[in-house]
Amino acid sequence: MRKPTRSSRAPLLALALALAPVAAAGPATAAPAPTFVLVHGAFADTTSWDAVAAELRADGHRVVVPDNPLRGPAHDAAAIQRTLDTIDGPVVLVGHSYGGSVITQIHDAEVTALVYIAAFAPASGEVNQLALDPIRFPGSRLLPPVLQVGVVDDGNGVAGKNIDATIAADSFHEVFAQDVDPATAARMLAHQRSLAVAANLEPSGTPAWSSTPTRYLISTADRAIPPASQRFMADRMGAHAAEIDASHAALVSRPREVAAFVAAAAG
């Protein structure tokens, strides 16, 4: 067999050098899977995420459900950030109801997506209460006597006290979660936690959704945050939005669908 001439070897050498980086690199490395951090809202605690968390974990996802203090968006965002600081790798941050205003305050390079479930998503300088404006967005039933206020012990408040709001026991099922059975509603009521009244009057900082990919699941039978308000916030964010026929507590009444919507943010 005739050896390649000097002139024929030059193109072969150039080709080998061009292919060398490709061969050295090998197959592309898959991006690490995110951890889903689920932030609960007002009038609830971490147990409100139990069914969704179970669905996500059954599909092999890592899930963390931190406690939300319900004292105010900035204060509560700092508490959630402390949890994020313990997690290695990317995070999908999910907020339900008031939890949406909390995740809106979190600016963390590891957060790759935000997911809002029937949640507040305030703009800069805006307060949550604007999303319940009865003129633009009629329909919220979070008004007295359904909404009750009282003085509570609070180490973060003035003189160790604060003014908090809860949903009246005899209205909780009908207003907050009308699409769950009575036994489930009773368990949710037993886990109800109060929200500092000032929390919904605290102006938002620069919203994280302005620079982070965002999804929003709208509850069309919501009696707390009107669906029209949810659609307005989702549209303003430019979020990937979908609708579900559910109460404000879609994460409890429709956990499989909510989990699927949340999991899609990993892509």
Side-chain angles (χ1 to χ4, degrees), residues 100-203:
S101 64
V102 175
I103 68 173
T104 295
Q105 314 307 312
I106 295 176
H107 297 269
D108 188 311
E110 296 296 330
V111 175
T112 59
L114 300 170
V115 184
Y116 292 77
I117 308 297
F120 291 110
S124 181
E126 193 173 82
V127 301
N128 289 341
Q129 200 63 34
L130 284 178
L132 305 180
D133 177 357
I135 304 300
R136 291 191 301 161
F137 310 118
S140 176
R141 297 180 60 182
L142 290 181
L143 300 166
V146 170
L147 197 66
Q148 300 185 333
V149 298
V151 177
V152 300
D153 293 328
D154 181 1
N156 298 296
V158 178
K161 301 290 183 180
N162 211 335
I163 300 176
D164 276 27
T166 57
I167 296 177
D170 59 359
S171 300
F172 187 91
H173 190 184
E174 179 186 1
V175 172
F176 197 76
Q178 73 272 15
D179 54 353
V180 305
D181 60 78
T184 299
R187 287 194 297 272
M188 294 172 68
L189 177 61
H191 286 272
Q192 178 177 203
R193 287 180 48 204
S194 63
L195 172 73
V197 169
N200 276 346
L201 301 175
E202 179 182 312

Side-chain angles (χ1 to χ4, degrees), residues 242-257:
E243 299 195 353
I244 188 170
D245 181 16
S247 70
H248 189 62
L251 68 174
V252 178
S253 64
R254 304 285 293 277
R256 182 171 299 180
E257 294 92 333

Side-chain angles (χ1 to χ4, degrees), residues 35-42 44-46 48-49 63-89 91-111 113-116 193 208:
T35 298
F36 291 89
V37 177
L38 312 180
V39 180
H40 68 83
D45 65 5
T46 58
S48 62
W49 283 113
V63 181
V64 175
V65 189
D67 181 61
N68 183 359
L70 307 179
R71 298 298 87 199
H75 175 275
D76 300 340
I80 301 303
Q81 182 64 59
R82 288 192 288 273
T83 294
L84 299 185
D85 291 341
T86 69
I87 299 172
D88 292 327
V91 168
V92 171
L93 195 52
V94 187
H96 171 243
S97 188
Y98 166 78
S101 64
V102 175
I103 68 173
T104 295
Q105 314 307 312
I106 295 176
H107 297 269
D108 188 311
E110 296 296 330
V111 175
L114 300 170
V115 184
Y116 292 77
R193 287 180 48 204

